[in-house]
């Protein structure tokens, strides 16, 4: 069919909408006609008809239709670039056309004339956001082929047209809101997200970021094309049915899963990675810093909605250890993975945006005021807390941006003790009355404990005792974790509680609190260790921390001068009385005696100078009480490492050098004979002059 007749037929089809029409087929036909027309007026006419066509825009399939529209102009531009490459190959003799009279795509028009004709068709009679879609398709098509023989000024003009159309659309709030659901705003976000990477830095600098930021955030998280304000989680519970007794099923045919799958396939959600980076870039470049603050508040509100919706769902009642027996095979393999893929996408995108917001708070002087900075940090931590039910199931330690956001927000909030206390109080409501019963509340408690340990230095002693210790104490004993079926979560709560307790004891202002609570904690620690609830690493770290707290120059040593030496004696006595070999079915990697011996060796740099020589001797003797040769060798190697690796300060190093050489320390560590039993070790104790010798011992006079 001749091009003119094909154009006439297409224009007639574009004039009206019918339920039977095939919109993708119309767009495909339009793409082929665009590259064959040789009359600029026809090109402008076709562009205008495409931008205003009821057949395309009367009942669009969301941004999927807009993405196809971008693809229409992208395909045309790609065809023009390919034709230019073919012409160049023909001129260079590297390619021969099958037909010498063949008409190349583009209708004989130059690139500049073709682009001007298309842009001329995007006039004021059609919504500006549709102009953005058309020009975005041209940018994608011309830049993706990497063809360098075109004039740069031509594409500078194309970029300028795109930025101008974008800014005019953002400034015209009526254009963005002419559809009830903000369809125009969502299409602007779609177009910019796809072609932002191809824009030059000069073009990016001309974007009106102040008006763009609310549009981006609203489209990504609160619109029907984005995450729908988080309310999609509220659809789950009615569709979860009971099967085979206590098992649950969430079938694929349910309305909630169909809605979830539809949301996941939407262009904005499918490209949430680049979109979140675009939002972060926008936050970094807004001229009004309060807009960044408002954006983080909106993000915190979104995270709160997600948290509340998840808490009401029966899915939140299932911990990771109960998943296989409580869910059927179809839910485990198909519907549940789709849900968690969406939740992970939400978490990662939010963290990327928070990274930009926190970075802006650190670098922007207008956000460094006391009230502004602490408010922003509080909103950030609230957002991370409300999404912690997702982050606890992922290894966030390898996600550097999450660590930066969390620690920076903690540092900022720590500068205000009153705001820190207020944040911890609102987070501790479910943790103050013991171990929570609901899995979701247990996860929130874990986030609270992991956060609280960073505030012990900034809080008052009263707040440390009434908030931090009150929340941590119920979790110091795993016997209280009967309500927690998830072993991993139970272990993490146990570790976090011990970390919080040690951080409270370590704060200088808490010496009086530590003197009252430390004996109780030591008893709990050794009791948990005897029941195989504390790992080797945890026990060694806890003992070293306690000895550092109770010995000078710690303030606690002046309140309770004898506590440090008493703790040393307790630790040595426990090491002597501990089992010499690793118990069957124990989770420990070495014997309890070797662990406590290593804990004592690790703590040598914290001993008072006046007691160091004596305890070097006692610890060296304790090393030879370890029965297993490999474990004894590990203790000897660690002993030498502590003395030689620089862990001692100069004064203690001088004592160690004298003991190692002059007083026979080397022979005592490496050459002494192993004790046959703990009784032999006790009999070899140093006795003061004139003491009675054990029966049967020989005089050495």
């Amino acid at each position: 069919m001749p091009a003119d007749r094909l154009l006439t037929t297409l224009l007639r089809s574009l004039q009206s909408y019918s339920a039977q029409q095939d919109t993708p087929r119309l767009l495909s036909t339009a793409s082929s006609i665009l590259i064959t027309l040789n009359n600029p007026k026809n090109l402008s006419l076709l562009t205008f008809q495409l931008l205003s066509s009821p057949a395309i825009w009367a009942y669009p399939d969301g941004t999927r239709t807009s993405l196809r529209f971008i693809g229409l102009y992208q395909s045309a531009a790609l065809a023009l670039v390919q034709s230019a490459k073919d012409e160049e190959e023909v001129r260079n003799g590297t390619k021969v056309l099958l037909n010498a009279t063949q008409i190349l795509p583009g209708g004989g028009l130059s690139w500049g004339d073709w682009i001007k004709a298309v842009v001329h068709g995007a006039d004021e009679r059609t919504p500006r956001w549709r102009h953005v879609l058309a020009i975005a398709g041209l940018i994608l098509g011309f830049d993706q082929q990497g063809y360098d023989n075109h004039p740069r000024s031509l594409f500078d003009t194309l970029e300028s047209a795109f930025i101008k159309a974008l800014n005019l659309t953002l400034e015209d709030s009526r254009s963005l809101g002419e559809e009830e659901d903000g369809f125009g705003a969502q299409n602007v976000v779609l177009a910019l997200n796809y072609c932002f990477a191809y824009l030059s830095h000069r073009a990016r600098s001309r974007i009106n970021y102040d008006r763009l930021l609310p549009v981006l955030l609203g489209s990504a998280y609160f619109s029907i094309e984005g995450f729908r304000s988080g309310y999609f989680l509220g659809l789950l519970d009615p569709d979860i049915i009971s099967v085979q007794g206590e098992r649950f099923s969430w079938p694929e045919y349910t309305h909630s899963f169909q809605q979830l799958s539809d949301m996941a396939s939407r262009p904005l959600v499918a490209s949430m990675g680049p979109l979140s980076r675009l939002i972060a870039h926008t936050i970094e470049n807004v001229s009004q810093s309060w807009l960044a603050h408002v954006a983080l508040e909106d993000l915190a509100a979104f995270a709160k909605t997600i948290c509340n919706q998840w808490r009401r769902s029966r899915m939140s009642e299932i911990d990771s250890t109960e998943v296989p027996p409580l869910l059927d095979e179809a839910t485990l393999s198909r519907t549940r993975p789709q849900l968690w893929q969406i939740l992970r996408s939400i978490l990662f995108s939010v963290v990327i945006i928070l990274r930009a917001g926190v970075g802006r708070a650190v670098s922007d002087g207008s956000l460094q005021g006391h009230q502004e900075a602490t408010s922003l940090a509080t909103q950030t931590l609230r957002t991370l807390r409300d999404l912690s039910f997702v982050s606890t199931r992922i290894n966030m330690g390898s996600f550097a941006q999450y660590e930066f956001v969390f620690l920076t927000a903690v540092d900022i909030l720590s500068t205000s003790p009153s705001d820190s206390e207020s944040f911890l109080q609102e987070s501790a409501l479910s943790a103050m009355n013991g171990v929570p019963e609901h899995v979701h509340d247990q996860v929130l408690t874990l986030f609270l404990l992991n956060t609280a340990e960073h505030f012990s230095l900034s809080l008052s002693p009263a707040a440390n005792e009434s908030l931090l210790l009150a929340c941590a104490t119920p979790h110091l004993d795993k016997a209280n974790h009967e309500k927690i079926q998830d072993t991993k979560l139970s272990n993490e709560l146990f570790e976090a509680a011990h970390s919080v307790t040690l951080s409270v004891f370590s704060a200088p202002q808490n010496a009086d609190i530590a003197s009252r609570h430390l004996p109780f904690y030591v008893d709990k620690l050794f009791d948990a260790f005897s029941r195989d609830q504390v790992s080797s690493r945890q026990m060694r770290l806890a003992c070293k921390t306690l000895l550092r707290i109770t010995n000078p120059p710690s303030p606690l040593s002046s309140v309770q001068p004898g506590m440090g030496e008493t703790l040393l004696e307790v630790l040595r006595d426990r090491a002597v009385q501990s089992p010499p070999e690793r118990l069957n079915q124990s989770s420990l990697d070495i014997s309890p005696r070797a662990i406590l011996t290593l804990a004592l060796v690790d703590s040598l740099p914290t001993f008072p100078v006046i007691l160091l020589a004596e305890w070097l001797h006692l610890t060296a003797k304790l090393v030879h009480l370890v029965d297993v040769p490999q474990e004894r060798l590990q203790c000897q190697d660690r002993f030498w490492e502590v003395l030689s690796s620089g862990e001692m300060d100069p004064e203690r190093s001088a004592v160690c050098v004298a003991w190692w050489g002059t007083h026979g320390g080397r022979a005592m560590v490496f050459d002494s004979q192993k004790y046959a039993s703990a009784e032999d070790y006790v009999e070899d104790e140093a006795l003061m002059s004139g003491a009675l010798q054990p029966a049967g011992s020989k005089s050495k006079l």
Side-chain angles (χ1 to χ4, degrees):
M1 182 183 295
D4 291 342
R5 290 179 57 189
L6 190 58
L7 175 61
T8 303
T9 304
L10 176 62
L11 293 177
R12 187 181 304 112
S13 301
L14 293 173
Q15 294 301 315
S16 60
Y17 171 81
S18 64
Q20 292 78 24
Q21 73 178 9
D22 186 359
T23 301
R25 182 183 59 81
L26 290 178
L27 295 177
S28 176
T29 304
S31 177
S32 63
I33 294 178
L34 276 174
I35 60 176
T36 56
L37 293 177
N38 55 12
N39 187 336
K41 292 184 179 180
N42 286 341
L43 269 175
S44 300
L45 174 62
L46 178 56
T47 298
F48 169 74
Q49 292 295 335
L50 288 169
L51 292 172
S52 59
S53 170
I56 299 175
W57 304 112
Y59 299 98
D61 184 17
T63 51
R64 295 189 184 98
T65 297
S66 305
L67 188 59
R68 297 189 192 105
F69 191 79
I70 292 175
L72 160 69
Y73 284 93
Q74 180 187 9
S75 300
L78 287 172
L80 288 176
V81 173
Q82 186 60 45
S83 71
K85 288 184 176 181
D86 292 342
E87 287 181 345
E88 185 176 356
E89 291 177 357
V90 170
R91 286 196 303 268
N92 296 334
T94 58
K95 182 175 181 179
V96 179
L97 292 177
L98 297 177
N99 184 356
T101 62
Q102 178 179 345
I103 299 177
L104 294 173
L109 293 175
S110 66
W111 286 23
D113 292 338
W114 190 89
I115 291 175
K116 289 177 183 178
V118 171
V119 174
H120 183 70
D123 55 24
E124 65 279 358
R125 293 175 293 174
T126 52
R128 287 194 174 95
W129 59 263
R130 298 181 191 174
H131 305 173
V132 176
L133 296 177
I135 303 174
L138 297 179
I139 291 176
L140 289 174
F142 284 128
D143 276 3
Q144 280 185 336
Q145 285 287 345
Y147 184 62
D148 298 327
N149 288 351
H150 54 69
R152 184 64 228 178
S153 59
L154 179 64
F155 293 92
D156 290 341
T157 303
L158 195 57
E159 282 185 341
S160 299
F162 177 79
I163 299 300
K164 181 179 179 180
L166 174 65
N167 288 336
L168 288 174
T169 305
L170 294 173
E171 292 169 4
D172 186 2
S173 58
R174 183 171 58 87
S175 175
L176 287 178
E178 63 180 358
E179 282 82 9
E180 294 181 0
D181 57 357
F183 187 53
Q186 298 154 21
N187 282 288
V188 167
V189 172
L190 176 72
L192 183 60
N193 187 38
Y194 271 86
C195 69
F196 186 77
Y198 300 99
L199 297 178
S200 64
H201 292 290
R202 187 163 61 91
R204 294 179 185 180
S205 65
R206 295 167 52 199
I207 297 176
N208 189 342
Y209 289 108
D210 289 358
R211 289 188 176 272
L212 177 63
L213 180 57
V215 174
L216 286 174
L217 207 62
S219 299
Y221 292 97
F222 301 99
S223 73
I224 191 67
E225 293 291 328
F227 290 123
R228 306 177 184 182
S229 299
Y231 288 110
F232 66 91
L233 289 176
L235 302 175
L236 302 184
D237 217 40
D239 290 337
I240 298 177
I241 58 178
S242 298
V243 294
Q244 299 176 4
E246 297 182 352
R247 301 187 72 186
F248 295 103
S249 175
W250 181 31
E252 291 181 272
Y253 60 80
T254 57
H255 175 71
S256 58
F257 183 73
Q258 296 300 322
Q259 288 289 317
L260 186 73
S261 300
D262 176 74
M263 184 181 70
S265 63
R266 296 278 176 174
L268 292 185
V269 175
S271 60
M272 188 52 64
L275 180 54
S276 61
R277 291 192 290 272
L278 175 58
I279 299 174
H281 175 80
T282 303
I283 289 178
E284 293 170 348
N285 288 275
V286 290
S287 60
Q288 303 292 329
S289 56
W290 63 268
L291 288 170
H293 198 169
V294 171
L296 294 193
E297 289 180 349
D298 292 341
L299 212 57
F302 169 79
K304 185 65 176 177
T305 302
I306 285 281
C307 180
N308 291 337
Q309 293 292 317
W310 178 255
R311 176 65 172 79
R312 297 188 182 101
S313 170
R314 275 185 286 179
M315 282 287 188
S316 66
E317 302 173 5
I318 304 173
D319 58 46
S320 60
T321 59
E322 294 178 324
V323 165
L326 288 184
L327 297 178
D328 67 344
E329 183 62 31
T331 304
L332 283 173
S333 60
R334 289 187 288 275
T335 55
R336 187 174 178 272
Q338 178 76 55
L339 172 63
W340 279 100
Q341 180 62 35
I342 292 289
L343 293 175
R344 283 193 294 268
S345 177
I346 290 174
L347 174 65
F348 290 135
S349 64
V350 166
V351 169
I352 290 172
I353 297 171
L354 291 177
R355 165 66 177 83
V358 172
R360 183 71 185 260
V362 172
S363 60
D364 193 335
S366 60
L367 289 176
Q368 291 177 358
H370 176 75
Q371 184 176 358
E372 293 80 3
T374 55
S375 175
L376 188 146
T378 301
Q379 295 291 354
T380 300
L381 290 176
R382 284 172 179 163
T383 303
L384 296 180
R385 177 195 64 198
D386 292 334
L387 295 178
S388 60
F389 73 93
V390 184
S391 60
T392 52
R393 297 173 183 262
I394 306 173
N395 181 20
M396 300 305 292
S398 59
F399 191 13
Q401 296 202 44
Y402 181 92
E403 293 294 321
F404 173 82
V405 169
F406 176 74
L407 294 177
T408 305
V410 166
D411 287 344
I412 295 174
L413 189 57
S414 297
T415 60
S416 174
S418 59
D419 291 330
S420 301
E421 185 174 348
S422 298
F423 170 74
L424 292 174
Q425 282 178 340
E426 73 176 50
S427 303
L429 295 178
S430 62
M432 297 293 289
N433 300 321
V435 180
E437 294 186 5
H438 199 282
V439 176
H440 184 71
D441 296 332
Q442 295 164 6
V443 171
L444 294 180
T445 301
L446 176 60
F447 180 85
L448 168 65
L449 295 176
N450 287 333
T451 306
E453 66 175 294
H454 298 281
F455 290 100
S456 59
L457 287 172
S458 61
L459 294 176
S460 64
N464 271 285
E465 187 171 19
S466 62
L467 274 177
L468 272 60
L469 285 182
C471 293
T473 300
H475 299 280
L476 293 177
D477 189 350
K478 280 192 176 181
N480 298 331
H481 286 185
E482 296 176 354
K483 304 173 185 177
I484 305 177
Q485 302 297 326
D486 189 340
T487 305
K488 180 175 179 291
L489 179 59
S490 175
N491 291 337
E492 290 178 349
L493 281 167
F494 181 73
E495 290 185 22
H498 281 269
S499 296
V500 170
T501 305
L502 291 174
S503 70
V504 171
F505 292 163
S506 300
Q509 75 272 21
N510 295 333
D512 184 59
I513 296 175
S515 66
R516 287 187 281 110
H517 290 273
L518 194 141
F520 161 79
Y521 175 73
V522 171
D523 184 59
K524 284 286 185 183
L525 178 66
F526 280 107
D527 181 60
F529 179 69
S530 65
R531 288 187 288 170
D532 196 20
Q533 296 176 351
V534 183
S535 68
S536 170
R537 179 189 61 84
Q538 293 168 342
M539 190 64 187
R540 292 170 62 179
L541 179 62
C543 291
K544 183 177 181 180
T545 304
L546 289 173
L547 288 171
R548 188 184 71 249
I549 294 170
T550 54
N551 286 314
S554 171
L556 179 59
S557 63
S558 59
V559 177
Q560 295 286 347
M563 186 172 287
E565 195 167 357
T566 301
L567 188 57
L568 282 172
E569 292 288 353
V570 170
L571 180 57
R572 186 172 72 103
D573 181 67
R574 291 292 184 122
V576 173
Q577 303 300 327
S578 294
E581 296 181 355
R582 180 176 176 272
L583 302 178
N584 293 333
Q585 300 184 12
S586 173
S587 61
L588 301 176
D589 51 353
I590 56 178
S591 67
R593 180 177 293 174
I595 292 173
L596 295 179
T597 301
L598 286 170
L600 201 58
V601 173
D602 291 338
S603 306
L604 287 174
T606 67
F607 291 3
V609 177
I610 193 172
L611 300 176
L612 183 58
E614 175 187 355
W615 277 96
L616 284 170
H617 175 78
L618 294 175
T619 306
K621 291 169 59 180
L622 190 61
V623 168
H624 292 281
L625 192 60
V626 178
D627 286 350
V628 182
Q630 289 183 341
E631 296 177 359
R632 186 166 62 254
L633 179 61
Q634 183 179 349
C635 294
Q636 292 170 332
D637 291 342
R638 178 57 186 155
F639 202 116
W640 170 245
E641 183 183 3
V642 170
L643 298 184
S644 62
S645 63
E647 296 183 34
M648 300 281 187
D649 60 21
E651 190 175 7
R652 289 179 174 81
S653 295
V655 175
C656 292
V657 169
W659 175 81
W660 185 261
T662 306
H663 301 293
R666 178 190 176 281
M668 200 174 300
V669 173
F670 290 106
D671 298 339
S672 295
Q673 296 295 320
K674 186 184 82 67
Y675 293 101
S677 65
E679 289 74 14
D680 293 345
Y681 172 82
V682 174
E683 289 180 3
D684 196 29
E685 293 285 339
L687 301 175
M688 72 179 189
S689 177
L692 295 176
Q693 298 290 325
S697 60
K698 297 181 179 180
S699 174
K700 297 181 180 178
L701 296 178

